[in-house]
């Protein structure tokens, strides 16, 4: 991909990884459009890197507004090279504690909004025969844990959809990368999260304990969003970008451990798995 002044669209740039990535890309000479839900946030984003960062109001759950935002970008800049689906949040609570409205909203924001944004951008990238889609997933898209089951579900869904999409886009010279951070120093487990309204005492020793641990390190996570942004830019600038980019030692260790235990279980039950065919 031509790396001279690409046009980026990053959703959810009010803080955290989205804002760090917007700043890093702009500092490297890219033009970055960022979406924000509140109009009063736009001017500050415009001044992040003056002349390079441009804020646009959008709630990604309002799918009918997505096309208008993309048309604004293409009308002004003529193209769209990099889409970063970053907007999202964490829903905290044991599976039984969650009501259907809470669960559906998690899937709406973390999966269906990403799907809608991706579908809206693809016609432009197909016409260009170039582009790069970055799906901000999570280590939680590869390894589940108690207390974040619906968040896991939303990211597992994103991973499955994106794996298939990457295969569909290969002949069109459009790249896709799933970015899978571990714990980074953002508000993900704090102000940006939503906690189930219902509480069940029996889950205090499992999901309850894990959520207390997550919230206790909020603001003290080991991951540096600025360094994560630099890592993502390295992937985007690569001649052969990865399908998956895991960020942080915690994430890398956890995912490797998951795959190790999965392989152990496959091996243990291999004979049973294979003994399921017709005896032709």
């Amino acid at each position: 991909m031509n790396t001279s002044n690409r046009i980026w669209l990053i959703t959810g740039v009010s803080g955290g990884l989205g804002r760090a990535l917007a700043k890093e890309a702009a500092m490297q000479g890219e033009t970055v459009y960022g979406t924000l839900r509140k109009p009063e946030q736009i001017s500050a984003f415009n001044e992040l890197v003056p002349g390079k960062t441009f804020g646009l109001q959008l709630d990604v759950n309002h799918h009918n507004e997505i096309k208008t935002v993309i048309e604004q970008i293409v009308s002004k800049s003529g193209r769209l090279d990099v889409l970063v689906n970053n907007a999202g949040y964490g829903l905290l609570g044991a599976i039984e504690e969650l009501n259907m409205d809470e669960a559906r909203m998690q899937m709406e924001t973390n999966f269906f909004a990403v799907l809608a944004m991706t579908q809206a951008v693809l016609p432009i990238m197909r016409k260009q025969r170039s582009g790069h889609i970055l799906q901000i997933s999570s280590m939680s898209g590869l390894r589940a844990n108690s207390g974040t089951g619906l968040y896991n579900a939303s990211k597992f869904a994103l991973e499955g959809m994106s794996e298939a999409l990457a295969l569909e886009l290969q002949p069109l010279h459009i790249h896709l990368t799933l970015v899978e951070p571990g714990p980074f120093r953002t508000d993900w487990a704090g102000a940006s999260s939503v906690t189930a309204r219902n509480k069940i005492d029996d889950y205090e020793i499992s999901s309850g304990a894990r959520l207390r641990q997550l919230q206790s390190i909020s603001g003290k996570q080991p991951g540096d969003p600025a360094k994560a942004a630099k890592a993502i830019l390295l992937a985007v600038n690569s001649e052969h970008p990865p399908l998956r980019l895991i960020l942080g030692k915690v994430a890398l260790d956890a995912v490797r451990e998951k795959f190790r235990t999965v392989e152990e279980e496959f091996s243990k039950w291999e004979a049973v798995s294979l003994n399921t065919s017709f005896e032709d």
Side-chain angles (χ1 to χ4, degrees):
M1 186 191 298
N2 182 6
T3 61
S4 59
N5 192 26
R6 289 168 295 202
I7 308 302
W8 290 56
L9 170 58
I10 305 176
T11 64
V13 294
S14 61
L17 182 57
R19 199 172 192 88
L21 181 55
K23 183 177 181 180
E24 181 63 30
M27 292 293 288
Q28 291 193 23
E30 316 277 41
T31 296
V32 181
Y33 293 89
T35 71
L36 303 126
R37 285 186 300 147
K38 300 175 182 178
E40 60 268 24
Q41 297 172 319
I42 291 175
S43 61
F45 185 75
N46 290 343
E47 294 303 314
L48 187 64
V49 183
K52 286 294 183 180
T53 52
F54 303 93
L56 297 168
Q57 184 181 0
L58 176 69
D59 182 331
V60 293
N61 286 314
H62 298 166
H63 298 179
N64 59 320
E65 297 174 8
I66 290 174
K67 184 179 179 181
T68 301
V69 165
I70 293 171
E71 287 174 348
Q72 284 180 273
I73 295 169
V74 175
S75 175
K76 184 174 180 180
S77 298
R79 59 187 296 111
L80 182 53
D81 300 300
V82 183
L83 167 66
V84 184
N85 281 309
N86 172 70
Y89 71 96
L91 175 61
L92 310 180
I95 298 296
E96 189 182 349
E97 291 174 335
L98 301 171
N99 65 47
M100 286 299 168
D101 288 339
E102 291 168 332
R104 286 193 177 98
M105 185 51 64
Q106 178 77 123
M107 298 301 295
E108 284 291 340
T109 302
N110 288 9
F111 178 73
F112 287 109
V114 173
L115 176 60
M117 182 66 73
T118 301
Q119 288 180 328
V121 163
L122 282 173
I124 299 163
M125 292 185 174
R126 283 193 293 104
K127 185 177 180 181
Q128 295 170 176
R129 283 299 192 268
S130 68
H132 199 146
I133 297 170
L134 295 164
Q135 311 285 43
I136 305 302
S137 181
S138 168
M139 62 181 281
S140 296
L142 291 170
R143 175 174 175 159
N145 213 325
S146 59
T148 52
L150 255 294
Y151 180 73
N152 291 134
S154 70
K155 295 301 186 180
F156 269 60
L158 176 62
E159 295 263 340
M161 181 269 286
S162 297
E163 271 194 38
L165 178 59
L167 295 172
E168 294 166 358
L169 296 179
Q170 277 181 357
L172 305 177
H173 307 291
I174 301 169
H175 300 294
L176 185 146
T177 297
L178 283 152
V179 180
E180 296 153 341
F184 274 73
R185 205 162 294 181
T186 69
D187 279 337
W188 182 87
S192 296
S193 65
V194 173
T195 301
R197 291 188 292 272
N198 184 35
K199 290 294 176 189
I200 299 174
D201 290 343
D202 282 346
Y203 294 112
E204 280 301 301
I205 59 173
S206 55
S207 62
R210 178 166 183 260
L211 295 182
R212 286 190 295 275
Q213 188 270 335
L214 280 176
Q215 290 161 344
S216 72
I217 65 167
S218 183
K220 297 177 283 188
Q221 300 96 324
D224 180 348
K227 289 183 177 179
K230 290 180 185 296
I232 293 168
L233 261 294
L234 284 174
V236 174
N237 291 334
S238 171
E239 186 177 351
H240 301 289
L243 173 61
R244 286 189 166 83
L245 179 64
I246 293 181
L247 297 177
K249 186 178 187 303
V250 172
L252 193 57
D253 288 349
V255 171
R256 280 178 167 160
E257 175 64 13
K258 184 222 172 127
F259 288 150
R260 185 190 67 78
T261 58
V262 167
E263 180 56 36
E264 281 183 359
E265 193 162 71
F266 284 169
S267 297
K268 181 178 179 179
W269 287 85
E270 182 174 5
V272 176
S273 299
L274 296 177
N275 190 30
T276 54
S277 300
F278 286 109
E279 300 295 337
D280 293 333

